[in-house]
């Protein structure tokens, strides 16, 4: 490991070698702070005998966490898998998944994003009869988030702001918002850290467990921490006091989102015996860039002064243009791009324009379009914010957390199922009245709602367990091992005619592999070339339910319909000299029927069914005899293709 430490400059090495006690690393931009963190982890494990699972390393973004994991892995290999390395939120979620039941949640809790928060706040405003034009969802969420960052709970918020009309209203929304979060077995991002703190402070055994586990704690970008994040690392490090934080007091620019610069400025006071190390050598920038940076920060009234320096070349002088307005700025940028492009033979794709916030792109876009400069806006809608992705996640949330009313409402009509707002409102009212989830109301409709014969929408997926095919053609008989197992998806609509009997219709898509084979027939070898069998059964379905007092409902079912089929099989005799013999079988449409039995539990269904697809087939045969005469014939045949299928699915009822 000494060779690795030799790669560090003296100040970096000093920080890495500081093992016991608190350490504050003041790291200027480009000074190698990530290198210090990664080498510190490697040094602890390889040189100091610290177990990987006794190290907690916290970053602010997933990107930073992934970068650190990769760099640490390059140093210590697979030991990286035993280190707790991630963002504040990912670390806390990991703790909450294990122990959140102590706080009255269950481990399958959902994490609400901004869109979920807006939906929930909107419901709160409606329930409290508060004008959403005066108290917008965004403003309420921001106020609640600020309160949580300061670790102010609803009751304390109301007490602190007594007499302030607006904040008293927000306090009531805040209280109801938290109540509904818990009813949905959900938390928002701000809750994640606060609930972890509550868990540790209220449960001495859990605090003891993690205090013993995390003997060494490392925190990146410490100047960006808020009150709750400071509280978390303070609690976890109190027993061992082996904490190293890395940050830059001159880069504290996130106070608008709750960051508290006093956390880094007061670190010496909060952690007695702190060793301070300054990283001032810059490896990223040219000398002239650093001169500008030093001039910018020299007037900062901060506690830790530093002077960034570099061994890099001086480089070009920075250029500053102060425009009259945003369009003047955009015009200047456009002019410089054209000058550089034409003089140095660059392409438009070689340029990038950076701006602080999305609203500033408008002027640049206008000028670019006027001047005919092609451009592409990088960003847009994030992957997890796309409608189809949020719908899928909502389905998964319901499976994991049946108390998630917001997810249920989101997808109950995705795809369209004809479930009206009146029905949903009734279910929601009953859920509030009975202090339970909407899912539980729907699940126990017989108990909460007078039974009305309604619609059932069921989606299922299955897999063939066994295939059997009988062919009347003896020479080219298709054996059961030719038609291989394959997947099936189906959608059914059923009408509940009585408490026990459902009648409806369904459509499915089924695919069976047809494998290439060499088949021995009459001491000759037949080369069988297969194309997959595609089948779309359209059928009527009837189901009889054996209702009982339990959550499990056994049933039997029967299907009858018509299957649209496509696929073919080519045959060729390959070892008979002088005879060019081929045949082809093309599958056509036919009847479809079957029976099955299964179980329904909490709207999840699983059954075993045997279905027969009466494949009609056209059979064409040709060969050349020893005299070279071509012989052809054709016939129509029926292939009874039986399938034993295991399927699982989900049913929704209107």
């Amino acid at each position: 490991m000494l060779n690795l430490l030799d790669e560090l400059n003296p100040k970096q090495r000093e920080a890495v070698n500081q093992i016991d006690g608190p350490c504050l690393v003041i790291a200027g931009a480009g000074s190698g702070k990530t290198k210090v963190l990664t080498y510190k982890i490697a040094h602890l494990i390889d040189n100091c005998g610290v177990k990987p699972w006794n190290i907690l390393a916290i970053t602010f973004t997933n990107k930073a966490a992934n970068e650190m994991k990769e760099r640490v892995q390059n140093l210590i290999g697979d030991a990286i898998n035993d280190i707790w390395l991630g963002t504040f939120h990912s670390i806390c979620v990991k703790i909450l998944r294990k122990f959140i039941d102590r706080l009255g949640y269950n481990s399958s809790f959902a994490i609400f994003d901004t869109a979920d928060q807006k939906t929930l706040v909107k419901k709160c405003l409606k329930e409290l009869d508060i004008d959403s034009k005066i108290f917008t969802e965004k403003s309420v969420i921001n106020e609640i988030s600020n309160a949580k960052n300061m670790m102010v709970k609803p009751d304390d918020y109301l007490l602190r702001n007594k007499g302030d009309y607006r904040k008293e209203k927000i306090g009531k929304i805040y209280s109801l918002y938290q109540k509904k979060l818990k009813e949905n077995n959900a938390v928002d991002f701000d809750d994640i850290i606060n609930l972890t703190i509550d868990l540790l402070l209220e449960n001495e055994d859990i605090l003891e467990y993690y205090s013993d586990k995390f003997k060494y704690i490392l925190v990146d970008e410490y100047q960006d921490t808020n009150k709750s994040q400071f509280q978390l690392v303070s609690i976890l490090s109190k027993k061992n006091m082996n904490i190293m934080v890395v940050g830059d007091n001159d880069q504290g620019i996130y106070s608008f989102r709750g960051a508290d610069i006093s956390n880094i400025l007061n670190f010496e006071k909060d952690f007695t015996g702190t060793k301070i190390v300054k990283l001032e050598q810059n490896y990223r920038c040219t000398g002239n860039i650093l001169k500008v940076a030093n001039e910018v920060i020299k007037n900062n009234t901060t506690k830790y002064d530093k002077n960034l320096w570099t061994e890099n070349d001086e480089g070009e002088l920075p250029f500053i243009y102060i425009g009259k307005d945003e369009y003047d700025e955009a015009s200047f940028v456009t002019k410089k791009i054209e000058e550089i492009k034409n003089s140095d033979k660059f392409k438009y794709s070689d340029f990038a324009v950076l701006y602080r916030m999305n609203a500033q792109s408008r002027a640049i876009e206008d000028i670019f379009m006027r001047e005919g400069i092609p451009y592409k806006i990088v960003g847009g809608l994030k992957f997890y914010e796309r409608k189809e992705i949020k719908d899928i996640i909502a389905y998964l949330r319901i499976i994991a957390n049946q108390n998630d009313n917001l997810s249920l409402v989101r997808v109950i009509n995705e795809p369209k199922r004809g479930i009206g707002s009146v029905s949903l409102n009734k279910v929601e009212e009953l859920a509030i009245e009975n202090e339970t989830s909407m899912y539980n109301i729907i699940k126990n409709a017989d108990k909460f709602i007078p039974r009305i014969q309604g619609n059932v929408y069921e989606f299922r997926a299955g897999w063939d367990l066994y295939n059997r095919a009988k062919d009347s053609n003896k020479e080219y008989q298709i054996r059961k091992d030719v038609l291989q197992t394959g997947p099936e998806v189906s959608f059914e609509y059923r009408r509940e005619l009585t408490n026990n009997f459902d009648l409806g219709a369904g459509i499915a898509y089924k695919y069976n592999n047809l494998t290439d084979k060499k088949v021995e027939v009459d001491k000759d070898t037949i080369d069988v070339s297969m194309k997959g069998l595609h089948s779309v059964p359209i059928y009527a379905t009837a189901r009889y339910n054996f209702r009982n007092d339990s959550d499990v409902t056994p049933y039997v079912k029967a299907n009858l319909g018509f299957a649209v089929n496509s696929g073919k099989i080519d045959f060729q005799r390959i070892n008979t000299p002088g005879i060019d013999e081929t045949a082809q079988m093309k599958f056509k449409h036919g009847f479809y029927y079957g029976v099955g039995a299964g179980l329904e539990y909490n709207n999840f269904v699983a059954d075993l069914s045997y279905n027969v697809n009466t494949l009609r087939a056209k059979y064409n045969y040709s060969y050349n005899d020893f005299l070279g005469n071509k012989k052809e014939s054709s016939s129509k045949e029926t292939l009874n293709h039986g399938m034993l299928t295991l399927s699982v699915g989900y049913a929704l009822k209107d």
Side-chain angles (χ1 to χ4, degrees), residues 325-337:
D325 53 34
E326 66 268 29
Y327 282 93
D328 186 36
E329 286 182 342
S331 296
F332 174 77
V333 170
T334 303
K335 182 180 177 182
K336 294 301 293 184
I337 289 174

Side-chain angles (χ1 to χ4, degrees), residues 12 191 340 360:
Q12 291 173 337
D191 283 330
I340 298 172
Q360 293 179 305

Side-chain angles (χ1 to χ4, degrees), residues 142-169:
N142 287 339
E143 186 67 24
I144 292 174
S145 180
N146 290 335
K148 289 184 178 182
N149 285 335
M150 296 301 296
M151 300 181 69
V152 179
K153 296 185 177 181
D155 290 344
D156 293 331
Y157 184 92
L158 281 167
L159 188 63
R160 291 185 182 188
N161 296 288
K162 193 173 182 179
D164 187 320
Y165 172 79
R166 179 175 179 80
K167 290 196 173 183
E168 280 188 344
K169 288 288 188 182

Side-chain angles (χ1 to χ4, degrees), residues 12-25 40 43-44 48 216 218 241-244 273-277:
Q12 291 173 337
R13 194 179 303 117
E14 182 181 356
V16 170
N17 279 321
Q18 176 61 31
I19 304 303
D20 298 321
C23 179
L24 171 62
V25 180
K40 175 70 172 283
H43 182 57
L44 287 171
C48 303
Y216 293 88
L218 301 90
M241 294 297 288
N242 297 323
I243 178 172
M244 185 178 85
T274 295
K275 180 180 180 60
I276 300 174
V277 181

Side-chain angles (χ1 to χ4, degrees), residues 107-164:
S107 60
S108 62
F109 64 88
I111 302 172
F112 279 11
D113 61 14
T114 303
D116 298 323
Q117 287 180 278
K118 286 182 178 179
T119 302
L120 191 58
V121 168
K122 188 175 181 179
K123 285 182 175 294
C124 293
L125 292 171
K126 183 180 179 181
E127 192 168 323
L128 294 170
D129 196 24
I130 295 176
D131 191 346
S132 60
K133 294 180 180 178
I134 300 175
F135 295 85
T136 64
E137 291 95 340
K138 185 177 180 180
S139 65
V140 171
I141 290 170
N142 287 339
E143 186 67 24
I144 292 174
S145 180
N146 290 335
K148 289 184 178 182
N149 285 335
M150 296 301 296
M151 300 181 69
V152 179
K153 296 185 177 181
D155 290 344
D156 293 331
Y157 184 92
L158 281 167
L159 188 63
R160 291 185 182 188
N161 296 288
K162 193 173 182 179
D164 187 320

